[in-house]
Amino acid sequence: MRISLFITCYNDTLFPETGIAVTRILERLGHSVIFPRNQTCCGQMHYNTGYHREAIPIVRQLVDTFRSADIVCVPSASCVAMMREHYELIAEAGGGPSFLEDVRAIIPRIYEFSELLVDHLGVEDVGASFPHSVTYHPSCHSLRMLGVGDAPIRLLREVRGLTLRDLPQEEQCCGFGGTFAIKNPDVSVAMLTEKQSAVLESGAEIVTALDNSCLMQIYGGLHRAGSSIRTMHLAEILAVDGSSQ
């Protein structure tokens, strides 16, 4: 298949290795990956902060950029949730009927990375090998808005050498929430502290998730506490090719 990659501004700026990992996996599975260079942002930060009108041209840019895409892969549950939950509302509020039609046409072709592999492509074993203990944090958007279910767990279970550790109170938020962590730092830190304790209790070497924003939050707490536990996006774990080891 021809799969277009929407890397998201967050990953492009801070975690480019995630996009590289996604590309390696999809190409390993025999697909061709297209990266439109004029892509920008999904508009989530603007919309969630109350700048609804300012989000309209950002959404239009994304729709125009991926208009001809067969499939759009997004390694961020929060960005996909933004698209599915709010794009129609944005188009209805200020884009005209043709814009709304374009939005409705593209949304069914947009997939979060793990759901693309498991639910659409029917793949659970991507040929990865990762001899470490790993625990999975289900981010709020993946859990409560997208409902990706156990797709990430099914992918991790097929990784050779990987030991999957249960995360206590896994459904509890890490406290990031984008600008929430900035506007409510005390609450954010309190939530992070509980998540951090759960990660330590899991006994895992690595924490993984579908959103690097959550992983950045979790890593910050662990790092300040002097922990050696690392964080890695799911795609980075799955990108480690078992055939080369």
mmCIF file of all heavy atoms in Angstrom, residues 192 195-197 199-200 205-207 215-231:
data_model
loop_
_atom_site.group_PDB
_atom_site.id
_atom_site.type_symbol
_atom_site.label_atom_id
_atom_site.label_comp_id
_atom_site.label_asym_id
_atom_site.label_seq_id
_atom_site.Cartn_x
_atom_site.Cartn_y
_atom_site.Cartn_z
ATOM 1 N N LEU A 192 1.319 13.015 38.027
ATOM 2 C CA LEU A 192 2.555 12.402 37.549
ATOM 3 C C LEU A 192 3.212 11.570 38.636
ATOM 4 O O LEU A 192 3.743 10.485 38.368
ATOM 5 C CB LEU A 192 3.516 13.487 37.064
ATOM 6 C CG LEU A 192 4.933 13.024 36.720
ATOM 7 C CD1 LEU A 192 4.915 12.011 35.587
ATOM 8 C CD2 LEU A 192 5.808 14.229 36.364
ATOM 9 N N LYS A 195 1.595 8.236 38.768
ATOM 10 C CA LYS A 195 1.967 7.444 37.595
ATOM 11 C C LYS A 195 3.400 6.950 37.716
ATOM 12 O O LYS A 195 3.722 5.807 37.377
ATOM 13 C CB LYS A 195 1.782 8.278 36.333
ATOM 14 C CG LYS A 195 2.206 7.593 35.035
ATOM 15 C CD LYS A 195 1.422 6.320 34.766
ATOM 16 C CE LYS A 195 -0.041 6.599 34.521
ATOM 17 N NZ LYS A 195 -0.776 5.379 34.107
ATOM 18 N N GLN A 196 4.254 7.809 38.196
ATOM 19 C CA GLN A 196 5.660 7.468 38.383
ATOM 20 C C GLN A 196 5.802 6.301 39.354
ATOM 21 O O GLN A 196 6.582 5.365 39.116
ATOM 22 C CB GLN A 196 6.392 8.692 38.911
ATOM 23 C CG GLN A 196 7.860 8.519 39.207
ATOM 24 C CD GLN A 196 8.443 9.817 39.751
ATOM 25 O OE1 GLN A 196 8.194 10.892 39.210
ATOM 26 N NE2 GLN A 196 9.195 9.712 40.818
ATOM 27 N N SER A 197 5.046 6.316 40.433
ATOM 28 C CA SER A 197 5.089 5.214 41.407
ATOM 29 C C SER A 197 4.633 3.906 40.780
ATOM 30 O O SER A 197 5.196 2.832 41.054
ATOM 31 C CB SER A 197 4.206 5.557 42.612
ATOM 32 O OG SER A 197 4.684 6.698 43.289
ATOM 33 N N VAL A 199 4.856 3.081 37.603
ATOM 34 C CA VAL A 199 5.906 2.631 36.691
ATOM 35 C C VAL A 199 7.013 1.931 37.468
ATOM 36 O O VAL A 199 7.494 0.857 37.076
ATOM 37 C CB VAL A 199 6.477 3.816 35.891
ATOM 38 C CG1 VAL A 199 7.737 3.397 35.133
ATOM 39 C CG2 VAL A 199 5.434 4.349 34.921
ATOM 40 N N LEU A 200 7.430 2.511 38.570
ATOM 41 C CA LEU A 200 8.466 1.897 39.396
ATOM 42 C C LEU A 200 8.014 0.542 39.932
ATOM 43 O O LEU A 200 8.793 -0.413 39.977
ATOM 44 C CB LEU A 200 8.835 2.832 40.555
ATOM 45 C CG LEU A 200 9.523 4.146 40.169
ATOM 46 C CD1 LEU A 200 9.623 5.067 41.384
ATOM 47 C CD2 LEU A 200 10.910 3.869 39.597
ATOM 48 N N GLU A 205 12.037 -1.944 32.566
ATOM 49 C CA GLU A 205 13.165 -1.108 32.167
ATOM 50 C C GLU A 205 12.711 0.041 31.270
ATOM 51 O O GLU A 205 13.340 1.107 31.251
ATOM 52 C CB GLU A 205 14.187 -1.927 31.380
ATOM 53 C CG GLU A 205 14.775 -3.117 32.092
ATOM 54 C CD GLU A 205 15.569 -3.972 31.121
ATOM 55 O OE1 GLU A 205 16.687 -3.541 30.753
ATOM 56 O OE2 GLU A 205 15.079 -5.041 30.721
ATOM 57 N N ILE A 206 11.620 -0.200 30.541
ATOM 58 C CA ILE A 206 11.156 0.753 29.534
ATOM 59 C C ILE A 206 9.660 1.009 29.724
ATOM 60 O O ILE A 206 8.894 0.083 29.973
ATOM 61 C CB ILE A 206 11.363 0.211 28.104
ATOM 62 C CG1 ILE A 206 12.787 -0.313 27.902
ATOM 63 C CG2 ILE A 206 10.993 1.265 27.063
ATOM 64 C CD1 ILE A 206 13.836 0.729 27.792
ATOM 65 N N VAL A 207 9.261 2.273 29.578
ATOM 66 C CA VAL A 207 7.836 2.621 29.504
ATOM 67 C C VAL A 207 7.538 2.997 28.064
ATOM 68 O O VAL A 207 8.263 3.789 27.469
ATOM 69 C CB VAL A 207 7.479 3.819 30.408
ATOM 70 C CG1 VAL A 207 5.964 4.045 30.407
ATOM 71 C CG2 VAL A 207 7.982 3.600 31.813
ATOM 72 N N LEU A 215 4.906 10.390 27.237
ATOM 73 C CA LEU A 215 6.203 9.802 27.582
ATOM 74 C C LEU A 215 7.185 10.865 28.050
ATOM 75 O O LEU A 215 8.004 10.612 28.939
ATOM 76 C CB LEU A 215 6.766 9.048 26.378
ATOM 77 C CG LEU A 215 6.019 7.762 25.995
ATOM 78 C CD1 LEU A 215 6.592 7.172 24.716
ATOM 79 C CD2 LEU A 215 6.068 6.738 27.129
ATOM 80 N N MET A 216 7.113 12.052 27.475
ATOM 81 C CA MET A 216 7.975 13.142 27.917
ATOM 82 C C MET A 216 7.646 13.525 29.352
ATOM 83 O O MET A 216 8.545 13.763 30.174
ATOM 84 C CB MET A 216 7.818 14.354 27.006
ATOM 85 C CG MET A 216 8.763 15.493 27.358
ATOM 86 S SD MET A 216 8.537 16.972 26.334
ATOM 87 C CE MET A 216 6.959 17.564 26.972
ATOM 88 N N GLN A 217 6.364 13.578 29.666
ATOM 89 C CA GLN A 217 5.924 13.891 31.020
ATOM 90 C C GLN A 217 6.412 12.839 32.013
ATOM 91 O O GLN A 217 6.983 13.155 33.062
ATOM 92 C CB GLN A 217 4.389 13.971 31.049
ATOM 93 C CG GLN A 217 3.751 13.972 32.421
ATOM 94 C CD GLN A 217 3.590 15.351 33.022
ATOM 95 O OE1 GLN A 217 4.264 16.288 32.613
ATOM 96 N NE2 GLN A 217 2.694 15.484 33.982
ATOM 97 N N ILE A 218 6.218 11.578 31.659
ATOM 98 C CA ILE A 218 6.622 10.479 32.538
ATOM 99 C C ILE A 218 8.132 10.455 32.715
ATOM 100 O O ILE A 218 8.641 10.282 33.828
ATOM 101 C CB ILE A 218 6.103 9.141 31.993
ATOM 102 C CG1 ILE A 218 4.567 9.110 32.037
ATOM 103 C CG2 ILE A 218 6.680 7.967 32.781
ATOM 104 C CD1 ILE A 218 3.942 7.935 31.309
ATOM 105 N N TYR A 219 8.861 10.630 31.613
ATOM 106 C CA TYR A 219 10.320 10.617 31.700
ATOM 107 C C TYR A 219 10.833 11.748 32.588
ATOM 108 O O TYR A 219 11.777 11.572 33.361
ATOM 109 C CB TYR A 219 10.948 10.747 30.313
ATOM 110 C CG TYR A 219 12.457 10.870 30.374
ATOM 111 C CD1 TYR A 219 13.246 9.757 30.623
ATOM 112 C CD2 TYR A 219 13.085 12.111 30.231
ATOM 113 C CE1 TYR A 219 14.625 9.871 30.715
ATOM 114 C CE2 TYR A 219 14.457 12.233 30.322
ATOM 115 C CZ TYR A 219 15.227 11.109 30.560
ATOM 116 O OH TYR A 219 16.585 11.228 30.673
ATOM 117 N N GLY A 220 10.192 12.911 32.483
ATOM 118 C CA GLY A 220 10.623 14.029 33.313
ATOM 119 C C GLY A 220 10.571 13.699 34.791
ATOM 120 O O GLY A 220 11.499 13.998 35.539
ATOM 121 N N GLY A 221 9.464 13.058 35.199
ATOM 122 C CA GLY A 221 9.341 12.678 36.602
ATOM 123 C C GLY A 221 10.350 11.636 37.010
ATOM 124 O O GLY A 221 10.975 11.728 38.081
ATOM 125 N N LEU A 222 10.535 10.628 36.169
ATOM 126 C CA LEU A 222 11.483 9.557 36.474
ATOM 127 C C LEU A 222 12.914 10.086 36.529
ATOM 128 O O LEU A 222 13.693 9.720 37.409
ATOM 129 C CB LEU A 222 11.375 8.451 35.427
ATOM 130 C CG LEU A 222 10.072 7.644 35.416
ATOM 131 C CD1 LEU A 222 10.008 6.769 34.167
ATOM 132 C CD2 LEU A 222 9.950 6.777 36.674
ATOM 133 N N HIS A 223 13.239 10.953 35.589
ATOM 134 C CA HIS A 223 14.593 11.500 35.529
ATOM 135 C C HIS A 223 14.901 12.341 36.765
ATOM 136 O O HIS A 223 15.991 12.217 37.360
ATOM 137 C CB HIS A 223 14.737 12.346 34.266
ATOM 138 C CG HIS A 223 16.093 12.968 34.109
ATOM 139 N ND1 HIS A 223 17.232 12.227 33.832
ATOM 140 C CD2 HIS A 223 16.503 14.267 34.191
ATOM 141 C CE1 HIS A 223 18.268 13.026 33.759
ATOM 142 N NE2 HIS A 223 17.859 14.271 33.974
ATOM 143 N N ARG A 224 13.946 13.171 37.165
ATOM 144 C CA ARG A 224 14.172 14.006 38.352
ATOM 145 C C ARG A 224 14.287 13.158 39.617
ATOM 146 O O ARG A 224 14.933 13.573 40.588
ATOM 147 C CB ARG A 224 13.039 15.022 38.494
ATOM 148 C CG ARG A 224 13.102 16.161 37.482
ATOM 149 C CD ARG A 224 12.107 17.266 37.809
ATOM 150 N NE ARG A 224 10.731 16.807 37.668
ATOM 151 C CZ ARG A 224 10.042 16.836 36.538
ATOM 152 N NH1 ARG A 224 10.617 17.300 35.428
ATOM 153 N NH2 ARG A 224 8.786 16.425 36.494
ATOM 154 N N ALA A 225 13.677 11.992 39.597
ATOM 155 C CA ALA A 225 13.760 11.096 40.757
ATOM 156 C C ALA A 225 15.015 10.233 40.731
ATOM 157 O O ALA A 225 15.246 9.432 41.646
ATOM 158 C CB ALA A 225 12.521 10.196 40.805
ATOM 159 N N GLY A 226 15.818 10.381 39.679
ATOM 160 C CA GLY A 226 17.059 9.625 39.584
ATOM 161 C C GLY A 226 16.884 8.211 39.063
ATOM 162 O O GLY A 226 17.793 7.382 39.198
ATOM 163 N N SER A 227 15.746 7.911 38.455
ATOM 164 C CA SER A 227 15.495 6.567 37.937
ATOM 165 C C SER A 227 16.187 6.363 36.591
ATOM 166 O O SER A 227 16.330 7.299 35.794
ATOM 167 C CB SER A 227 13.989 6.339 37.773
ATOM 168 O OG SER A 227 13.733 5.106 37.132
ATOM 169 N N SER A 228 16.589 5.129 36.324
ATOM 170 C CA SER A 228 17.230 4.786 35.054
ATOM 171 C C SER A 228 16.223 4.261 34.032
ATOM 172 O O SER A 228 16.602 3.887 32.919
ATOM 173 C CB SER A 228 18.321 3.735 35.280
ATOM 174 O OG SER A 228 17.756 2.537 35.813
ATOM 175 N N ILE A 229 14.947 4.227 34.388
ATOM 176 C CA ILE A 229 13.916 3.740 33.478
ATOM 177 C C ILE A 229 13.804 4.690 32.287
ATOM 178 O O ILE A 229 13.766 5.909 32.447
ATOM 179 C CB ILE A 229 12.555 3.624 34.193
ATOM 180 C CG1 ILE A 229 12.652 2.623 35.344
ATOM 181 C CG2 ILE A 229 11.464 3.193 33.215
ATOM 182 C CD1 ILE A 229 11.394 2.548 36.190
ATOM 183 N N ARG A 230 13.763 4.104 31.097
ATOM 184 C CA ARG A 230 13.678 4.897 29.877
ATOM 185 C C ARG A 230 12.254 4.903 29.317
ATOM 186 O O ARG A 230 11.433 4.073 29.690
ATOM 187 C CB ARG A 230 14.634 4.344 28.807
ATOM 188 C CG ARG A 230 16.109 4.484 29.158
ATOM 189 C CD ARG A 230 16.960 3.977 28.008
ATOM 190 N NE ARG A 230 16.837 2.531 27.840
ATOM 191 C CZ ARG A 230 16.963 1.891 26.673
ATOM 192 N NH1 ARG A 230 17.154 2.593 25.557
ATOM 193 N NH2 ARG A 230 16.873 0.577 26.621
ATOM 194 N N THR A 231 11.994 5.829 28.417
ATOM 195 C CA THR A 231 10.710 5.878 27.725
ATOM 196 C C THR A 231 10.959 5.760 26.227
ATOM 197 O O THR A 231 11.917 6.339 25.703
ATOM 198 C CB THR A 231 9.953 7.185 28.016
ATOM 199 O OG1 THR A 231 10.790 8.305 27.683
ATOM 200 C CG2 THR A 231 9.569 7.269 29.486
#
